[in-house]
Amino acid sequence: MNKKAIIIGSGIGGISASIHLSKLGYQVDVYEQAEKPGGKLNEIREGGFRFDTGPSLFTLPNLVDNLIELSGSSSKDIFKYDKLENVCRYYFTDGTVFNAWSDTEKFASEASRVFNEPKSNVENYLNRVKEMYDLSADLFIFKPFARFSTLRSKAGKKVATKIHKLDMLLSMHKRNKRSFRSKKLVQLFNRYGTYNGSNPYKAPATLNMIAHLEHNDGAFFPEKGMYSIVTTLVDRAKAMGVKFHFNKKVDRVLVDGKKLIGVEIDHEKIEADKVISDMDVTNFYKHLMPKKKLPLRLKIMEKSSSAIIFYLGINRTFPDLDVHNILFADNYKEEFDYLFKRKRTYHDPTVYIFISNKSTKTDAPSGCENWFVMINAPVNIGQYTEEVLSDVRANVLKKINSMLNVDIESHIVFEEMGNPITIEEKTSSAGGAIYGGSSNSRLSAFLRHPNKHSKIKDLHFVGGSVHPGGGIPLCIASAGIVAEDIKNEIIDQQ
Ligand SMILES: Cc1cc2nc3c(=O)[nH]c(=O)nc-3n(C[C@H](O)[C@H](O)[C@H](O)COP(=O)(O)OP(=O)(O)OC[C@H]3O[C@@H](n4cnc5c(N)ncnc54)[C@H](O)[C@@H]3O)c2cc1C
C-alpha cells in the first residue's frame, strides 16, 4: 500500500509539494481551509474584470515548467507565458519617466539617456548581481540552508572561498549608492528590497541579486494571468492522483512524543506517514501545535512587510501605462522608516499599478482596465482602523491623480480592497506578512525556519514563511528541498 502524505494548505508551496510527493509514490491529500486553491496567489472575477489578487511579477518560470514536466506533461502545451519587453515603467515626482527594459543593453542606454548614468556603471552592477546569484543560488535557494551537509557540499565550499562576493557587510542602499551617480537609479534598485518584504536601508546588499532575476534573466507573464499557475499545477496534481479537499481546515497536528500520527480535522483523526505544512509557520505553531513552544527564531525574526491593495475596475484606458508601473515616493528612506520603525503607512506612498489586461486582453471589458493598485504596509498590530484605511485610500488616489494627471475616482466602476487584516483572515499569515520574516539583518537567512522539524522527523515545511523565503520561485524551491529530503530518507531505508 502507498504511504500517505497530508499537505496543509494549497498555496503554491503546498501544490508544488503535492506534485513532488505524488511522484515519490505517496498517496497525497491536500487540505485547504478556503473554497479554492492558491492562497495568496489567487484571483477575483467580478463584473467582467479579472484580478490576480497577490503575485504579479513572475520570474524563473522554468521552475513551474519543471513541475509540469515532473507531473508527466509538457509545459509548452499547457502553460504559455511571454517575456516582458519592459519590466516596469517608473514615474518619479519631478516628472521623469523611465522604462526598465528587459534587454540589458537597452536598459543601460535608457539609464544613460534619462539619468545621465554611465552605461558601464549599469553593466558592471548587473554583472556583479549575476555573479552573486550564480555563486549562491544553490546554497541559499535550492538546498536546505544552515545544515552541516549543505555547508560541506560543493555549493557550500564554492561560497566559502568567495564569501566576500556576497556583499553581506553593506546594506542594499549603501551598495547601490556606491554603484550609481543617479539617485533615481539608487531608488530603483533599492526597490528590490521590497520583493521579499524587506527594508533596503537595512537588508544586506546580498539581496541586490534579486535584480538579476528581472534584468538579466527576465520578467515574464503567463498568457492566462498569474492564477493560471495555480490552475495548471492543480490540474496536473489531480491528474497524478492528488486529492484536494476544500473548506477543510486542519485543526491540529497529532504527534506522540517525536512520532507523527497525522492531523485532526473537525474532530476527526486522519493518520499519515508524512505531514507537510504550507501554512505560515508562526500560526502553524500557535494554532496547530499549541502545546509546543514557538521556536525562538520565530519570536525574534522581524516580520516582512504586508500590503494594502485596491482592485479597481477602470472605465477607460491609459495607453501610457504598461503591465507594471511604479509611482515613486519622493522620500523613499522616510517611507521605509514609517513601514518598519513606526509601523504606519506613509502619507506619500510609492504606488504600484499592475494592469494584467495590458497583456491578457480578456481580463477587462473592452475600453476598460483592471488596476491592481498596491502600497507596501506594515504588518497588522492593531493600527488598521476604518479611518486609517480610508486615509490610505485618499492618499493613494491623490498620488495617482497628481502623477498621472487624472481624476481617477471618477473612472472607478468596481472596487475591492485587500489589507493586512484580510490577508491574515484569508491565508492565516501572522499579521498579514506577505513573506513571513523580513531579511532586514545579516542573520535573517539563518533565522528562517528550516524545511524539516528538528525533532518530529516526518513533519516538513514549505511556503513563503520558511527557508528559502517568500515569492513564487522560492516557495517552489522549498517544495523541492522537502522532496529531496524525503527521497534521501527513502534511499537510506532501502
Ligand atoms: C499582495 C501580494 C503581492 C505579492 N507579489 C508577489 C509577486 O509579485 N511575485 C511573487 O513571486 N510573489 C509575490 N507575493 C508573495 C507570494 O504570493 C507568496 O510568497 C506565495 O504565494 C506564498 O505561497 P505559500 O506556499 O507560502 O502559501 P500561501 O499563499 O500563504 O497559502 C497558504 C494556504 O494554506 C491555507 N491554510 C492555512 N492554514 C490552514 C489550515 N489550518 N488548514 C488548511 N489550510 C490552511 C491557506 O488558506 C492558504 O491557502 C505577493 C503576495 C501578496 C499577498
Side-chain angles (χ1 to χ4, degrees):
M1 205 182 96
N2 281 355
K3 291 203 164 196
K4 237 190 120 178
I6 285 177
I7 297 182
I8 306 171
S10 65
I12 185 69
I15 299 167
S16 310
S18 77
I19 291 178
H20 277 290
L21 268 94
S22 182
K23 185 75 186 170
L24 287 174
Y26 281 81
Q27 178 197 320
V28 184
D29 287 88
V30 181
Y31 291 95
E32 166 57 56
Q33 65 185 5
E35 63 187 16
K36 63 181 178 26
K40 297 184 185 80
L41 176 46
N42 229 301
E43 70 169 4
I44 299 171
R45 285 177 187 266
E46 198 70 55
F49 293 96
R50 195 197 70 84
F51 299 90
D52 287 307
T53 55
S56 52
L57 290 154
F58 185 36
T59 50
L60 293 178
N62 58 309
L63 297 181
V64 175
D65 294 341
N66 293 347
L67 285 169
I68 295 171
E69 305 285 330
L70 192 69
S71 76
S73 185
S74 162
S75 188
K76 280 200 296 294
D77 300 334
I78 58 170
F79 181 65
K80 296 194 171 67
Y81 49 83
D82 301 313
K83 186 168 178 172
L84 298 178
E85 210 187 318
N86 187 3
V87 174
C88 185
R89 184 162 292 167
Y90 290 91
Y91 292 79
F92 294 84
T93 45
D94 66 358
T96 306
V97 179
F98 178 78
N99 291 306
W101 301 110
S102 167
D103 181 87
T104 310
E105 154 64 26
K106 220 171 149 188
F107 178 83
S109 299
E110 180 92 346
S112 156
R113 186 183 66 79
V114 179
F115 300 137
N116 207 15
E117 185 75 37
K119 273 173 79 178
S120 59
N121 284 357
V122 177
E123 284 157 357
N124 290 343
Y125 183 88
L126 292 178
N127 283 339
R128 196 168 53 226
V129 294
K130 175 181 185 326
E131 196 184 0
M132 268 202 274
Y133 180 83
D134 290 344
L135 174 66
S136 62
D138 267 352
L139 185 72
F140 285 132
I141 302 180
F142 299 108
K143 289 261 184 300
F145 188 60
R147 222 185 263 175
F148 198 54
S149 56
T150 306
L151 299 175
R152 281 183 47 196
S153 68
K154 208 167 140 196
K157 284 180 188 155
K158 191 168 86 173
V159 171
T161 53
K162 294 185 179 173
I163 192 108
H164 59 283
K165 299 249 180 204
L166 292 185
D167 215 357
M168 288 157 93
L169 300 179
L170 292 183
S171 69
M172 294 178 80
H173 171 70
K174 282 209 174 120
R175 171 56 65 204
N176 292 339
K177 213 170 133 204
R178 287 184 194 184
S179 303
F180 302 112
R181 283 191 205 157
S182 156
K183 285 186 177 163
K184 292 192 173 78
L185 213 45
V186 172
Q187 185 172 15
L188 186 153
F189 279 101
N190 280 355
R191 186 179 153 252
Y192 287 98
T194 65
Y195 279 37
N196 77 348
S198 301
N199 176 353
Y201 298 89
K202 293 262 181 227
T206 319
L207 288 195
N208 284 327
M209 74 169 91
I210 297 172
H212 156 70
L213 295 180
E214 277 190 4
H215 288 292
N216 290 319
D217 220 50
F220 300 81
F221 199 73
E223 275 185 5
K224 293 183 182 160
M226 295 299 286
Y227 193 62
S228 69
I229 299 173
V230 168
T231 49
T232 306
L233 292 179
V234 167
D235 283 351
R236 289 311 308 148
K238 283 183 181 167
M240 294 172 86
V242 173
K243 292 199 181 88
F244 285 82
H245 310 264
F246 297 110
N247 298 308
K248 285 281 178 196
K249 182 175 180 194
V250 175
D251 298 313
R252 288 278 183 277
V253 167
L254 305 172
V255 290
D256 180 5
K258 291 182 185 175
K259 187 173 164 22
L260 177 90
I261 307 293
V263 300
E264 186 183 299
I265 299 176
D266 297 332
H267 306 287
E268 188 194 341
K269 176 171 146 185
I270 307 173
E271 294 189 2
D273 301 286
K274 288 278 179 198
V275 168
I276 289 111
S277 170
D278 178 38
M279 184 181 170
D280 174 277
V281 71
T282 303
N283 276 344
F284 170 87
Y285 281 101
K286 280 193 181 156
H287 303 301
L288 269 54
M289 296 189 97
K291 287 191 185 147
K292 299 266 175 216
K293 274 193 194 154
L294 188 67
L296 182 63
R297 63 174 84 226
L298 295 177
K299 281 189 200 154
I300 57 181
M301 194 170 187
E302 186 182 13
K303 289 259 165 266
S304 81
S305 55
S306 183
I308 297 175
I309 316 110
F310 299 92
Y311 307 101
L312 305 179
I314 300 289
N315 71 0
R316 57 160 278 198
T317 58
F318 287 77
D320 284 348
L321 293 176
D322 214 309
V323 176
H324 303 292
N325 311 273
I326 284 285
L327 316 181
F328 262 133
D330 205 23
N331 192 337
Y332 213 33
K333 166 92 174 56
E334 192 166 76
E335 183 175 11
F336 283 96
D337 283 347
Y338 267 72
L339 295 177
F340 287 96
K341 276 194 203 146
R342 302 190 194 195
K343 306 273 186 236
R344 283 167 51 201
T345 50
Y346 189 48
H347 51 271
D348 171 34
T350 295
V351 173
Y352 166 59
I353 306 175
F354 157 56
I355 310 171
S356 73
N357 87 301
K358 297 270 181 202
S359 169
T360 308
K361 299 286 171 236
T362 50
D363 280 353
S366 163
C368 298
E369 288 182 350
N370 64 336
W371 282 28
F372 164 117
V373 177
M374 184 181 101
I375 62 161
N376 293 309
V379 284
N380 177 27
I381 50 166
Q383 72 278 54
Y384 293 110
T385 59
E386 268 186 33
E387 197 187 342
V388 165
L389 291 172
S390 147
D391 282 352
V392 167
R393 182 181 184 277
N395 286 335
V396 167
L397 297 188
K398 189 169 139 204
K399 178 90 183 171
I400 294 173
N401 290 346
S402 75
M403 292 192 74
L404 300 181
N405 197 18
V406 65
D407 171 18
I408 199 63
E409 186 137 31
S410 64
H411 295 289
I412 300 174
V413 291
F414 168 80
E415 179 166 352
E416 200 170 311
M417 187 193 0
N419 59 54
I421 301 169
T422 62
I423 292 172
E424 176 156 20
E425 277 168 4
K426 288 184 178 160
T427 67
S428 295
S429 294
I434 292 185
Y435 302 97
S438 75
S439 295
N440 288 345
S441 96
R442 260 173 253 145
L443 287 180
S444 303
F446 297 89
L447 288 177
R448 274 202 177 268
H449 194 288
N451 305 101
K452 199 172 166 162
H453 194 274
S454 58
K455 297 199 176 77
I456 305 159
K457 85 166 184 40
D458 292 314
L459 178 56
H460 301 260
F461 300 91
V462 294
S465 62
V466 298
H467 174 72
I472 297 168
L474 301 200
C475 293
I476 296 178
S478 70
I481 293 172
V482 166
E484 200 59 32
D485 273 345
I486 297 177
K487 208 188 287 173
N488 288 335
E489 283 172 18
I490 296 170
I491 292 169
D492 286 348
Q493 283 158 13
Q494 279 165 355

